[in-house]
Amino acid sequence: MAELLFVRDAILSTFAIFGDQITRSMKTFSKLHLFLLLSFVFTFSGCMKKEEFPVEPQIAFSSFVKIIDGSGIDNRGVLEISYTDGDGDIGLSQGDTLPPYDYNFFMKYYEKQNGVFKEVFITYFNEYTQMIDTLDMNARIPVLTPPGRNKAIKGIIQDTIFINNYDSPYDTIRFEVFIKDRALHESNTVTTPEIVIKKQ
């Protein structure tokens, strides 16, 4: 579902896109649920100033909120980042399946072990293969390129992610995230603040 909104006294029109717009591979523990707030920048008959951004995507940490699910432990949370891209070439189509166009949203999971953050690969039982598998934290952003001459975009991404490594006793984690556009420009990397999770 897409909703078109106009922002008063601004040069932006905003599309709010809901649903599983970003997806991870079948190795993901659960589907990536997200909310994309995509702002398309337009120029109206030269009477409004065009907003410009670098052609390399830029991202910034906005917030992280745990999801209370009644289980008594922390299982999932919602990570929100903002982004800009000067030529709007962010996104993969359904036909993009091979490297380097298999993923464009990259995430790493870190645990604080004895005072030092270390990257950790979370494992789980894959019901499809009946084997122990590795949780894939990377994801696919759909095509966000707007119509019209001015392709600059900005917006926010909300990503619902798994946060509890059941095989680990450590309760303090953080994430690192970056994205790539279709020209393979890599954004800056953002690091979340420390997140303390309830294990049991």
Side-chain angles (χ1 to χ4, degrees):
M1 179 178 68
E3 180 182 357
L4 179 61
L5 306 173
F6 288 94
V7 182
R8 182 184 294 233
D9 298 327
I11 62 171
L12 308 177
S13 65
T14 302
F15 288 86
I17 307 173
F18 300 87
D20 291 342
Q21 298 294 325
I22 294 181
T23 54
R24 292 199 170 97
S25 73
M26 291 299 293
K27 292 185 178 182
T28 301
F29 186 83
S30 61
K31 290 285 288 183
L32 169 64
H33 304 285
L34 64 88
F35 164 81
L36 280 177
L37 179 58
L38 172 61
S39 299
F40 293 164
V41 184
F42 290 89
T43 302
F44 296 99
S45 303
C47 63
M48 291 187 177
K49 183 179 179 180
K50 183 174 72 173
E51 196 164 359
E52 296 182 349
F53 308 110
V55 295
E56 299 83 9
Q58 298 291 313
I59 62 175
F61 172 79
S62 297
S63 65
F64 181 85
V65 179
K66 297 177 190 175
I67 295 175
I68 307 301
D69 59 11
S71 66
I73 62 176
D74 295 327
N75 289 304
R76 296 188 303 159
V78 179
L79 171 66
E80 179 177 295
I81 63 172
S82 62
Y83 67 89
T84 63
D85 189 83
D87 56 6
D89 65 336
I90 294 177
L92 300 174
S93 66
Q94 292 184 348
D96 293 321
T97 58
L98 299 177
Y101 297 107
D102 49 349
Y103 296 109
N104 56 1
F105 182 96
F106 302 89
M107 178 180 292
K108 293 181 179 180
Y109 180 102
Y110 289 84
E111 288 180 348
K112 195 173 187 179
Q113 301 179 2
N114 302 316
V116 179
F117 276 102
K118 296 183 178 180
E119 184 179 3
V120 173
F121 299 93
I122 303 175
T123 59
Y124 71 101
F125 181 73
N126 190 323
E127 295 181 356
Y128 294 97
T129 63
Q130 296 294 301
M131 298 176 64
I132 299 298
D133 213 334
T134 301
L135 179 66
D136 194 340
M137 304 298 292
N138 298 331
R140 293 168 56 88
I141 305 172
V143 175
L144 304 180
T145 307
R149 295 178 60 186
N150 184 17
K151 302 297 186 182
I153 57 175
K154 71 176 183 179
I156 61 173
I157 297 173
Q158 289 183 347
D159 180 2
T160 301
I161 52 179
F162 183 74
I163 62 174
N164 197 332
N165 181 7
Y166 298 136
D167 296 327
S168 170
Y170 300 104
D171 65 356
T172 303
I173 66 170
R174 72 184 185 192
F175 295 92
E176 288 186 357
V177 177
F178 68 92
I179 66 175
K180 287 184 180 181
D181 62 18
R182 293 197 63 83
L184 303 182
H185 294 134
E186 185 174 313
S187 75
N188 57 305
T189 298
V190 297
T191 302
T192 68
E194 295 185 8
I195 302 165
V196 179
I197 57 177
K198 186 176 181 181
K199 306 286 289 187
Q200 58 183 6

